[in-house]
Amino acid sequence: MSDTPPMERRAFDARIENPWNELALTQDAGFFGARRGRKRLEKLVENVSKALTAAGLEAPWWPENGGAKPAAHIRIDRIGVLKDLKAYAASLEGTDVTEVMKGKGVPTNFPNLLRHREKNSYYWPVDFAEPMWINVDGEEPVPVGSSGGLLKELDKVNETLKVEKTFRMQKMVDYMDAGERDIAKIETHMDVSGKFWLKFGFLVIRKLAQKSVETNLPIVFG
């Protein structure tokens, strides 16, 4: 593990990296806190791998020593970065985000986008249709979606959204650490349609999905 202390998390904190790097975040939690963190992560990786193998898919493997710099890291001082994007995707198919999130009873063309969340969650670089909800500590299950599936869903959304034609910002950077003032400046410069967070959120999540597929590393939402 790197000796560099982890940065303080912002409201939205997403990384493309070896999932075992998360253990560095529990180093200051004492012996029992660190042990719980390891057990939790071990159970998550094991259960996802079992589910993928049972479905005839190859489960990715990452070395437990971790320590490598994230391939991408986007931190933003705002809760609900993807809220407008989810609402827009649901409007395209005439569904309700809340109802879709409850389970498979409501069909959707965007399961990896709508049946997911941006806190304490993951996207694995494997193609599968529906996010898995993994119980790792007896409390609230953790969603694990498909990076490849998410990327395909975003392509469908962009057929109507047309971000490249309607937004001044064309691409998202790999690394961003944006406080409130930074975002205000970006919004003032980029918002040409009144839908800043919809299109900015699209660029954020597409960058993460693309990078996950390219590097064969998961998206880790803090």
Side-chain angles (χ1 to χ4, degrees):
M1 280 291 182
S2 169
D3 293 330
T4 304
M7 292 187 294
E8 181 182 352
R9 290 184 175 181
R10 293 199 183 277
F12 176 92
D13 191 327
R15 308 177 303 285
I16 305 298
E17 67 177 348
N18 183 330
W20 296 101
N21 285 1
E22 283 197 273
L23 296 180
L25 300 176
T26 64
Q27 286 179 347
D28 296 330
F31 172 80
F32 292 106
R35 188 166 180 265
R36 282 195 299 271
R38 170 168 283 279
K39 290 293 184 182
R40 177 185 179 279
L41 191 53
E42 286 175 348
K43 188 172 182 180
L44 174 76
V45 173
E46 179 184 1
N47 287 354
V48 174
S49 296
K50 284 182 178 179
L52 292 174
T53 301
L57 299 170
E58 184 176 352
W61 175 88
W62 301 286
E64 291 191 26
N65 58 325
K69 178 182 177 181
H73 193 175
I74 298 176
R75 305 167 69 237
I76 302 169
D77 251 350
R78 186 182 194 266
I79 296 173
V81 169
L82 304 182
K83 181 179 178 181
D84 291 349
L85 177 59
K86 288 186 173 186
Y88 181 80
S91 72
L92 292 178
E93 61 182 8
T95 55
D96 178 84
V97 176
T98 302
E99 291 302 314
V100 172
M101 187 71 171
K102 288 180 180 178
K104 298 179 181 179
V106 179
T108 178
N109 294 311
F110 310 105
N112 285 287
L113 177 60
L114 301 186
R115 292 197 176 110
H116 210 272
R117 65 188 185 210
E118 60 186 65
K119 297 289 287 184
N120 185 26
S121 57
Y122 304 81
Y123 283 96
W124 243 237
V126 181
D127 278 346
F128 50 92
E130 287 277 346
M132 311 173 195
W133 286 74
I134 308 296
N135 194 320
V136 295
D137 52 17
E139 298 180 0
E140 185 179 22
V142 175
V144 179
S146 162
S147 301
L150 176 63
L151 195 55
K152 293 172 186 174
E153 292 169 20
L154 292 173
D155 286 342
K156 291 181 185 177
V157 171
N158 204 32
E159 289 175 5
T160 303
L161 190 59
K162 302 183 187 302
V163 168
E164 288 77 11
K165 294 183 179 180
T166 60
F167 202 51
R168 287 176 181 162
M169 181 183 286
Q170 298 295 299
K171 295 182 179 180
M172 179 59 56
V173 296
D174 289 346
Y175 301 92
M176 174 181 285
D177 185 8
E180 292 181 3
R181 290 184 179 180
D182 301 315
I183 291 298
K185 290 178 182 178
I186 296 173
E187 185 171 1
T188 299
H189 178 66
M190 297 294 172
D191 188 10
V192 296
S193 64
K195 296 180 179 178
F196 172 77
W197 282 107
L198 167 60
K199 296 176 182 182
F200 184 77
F202 175 89
L203 290 176
V204 167
I205 195 66
R206 186 175 66 177
K207 163 59 72 172
L208 294 168
Q210 288 173 335
K211 205 72 177 181
S212 176
V213 171
E214 290 169 5
T215 61
N216 198 38
L217 292 169
I219 304 173
V220 180
F221 287 99

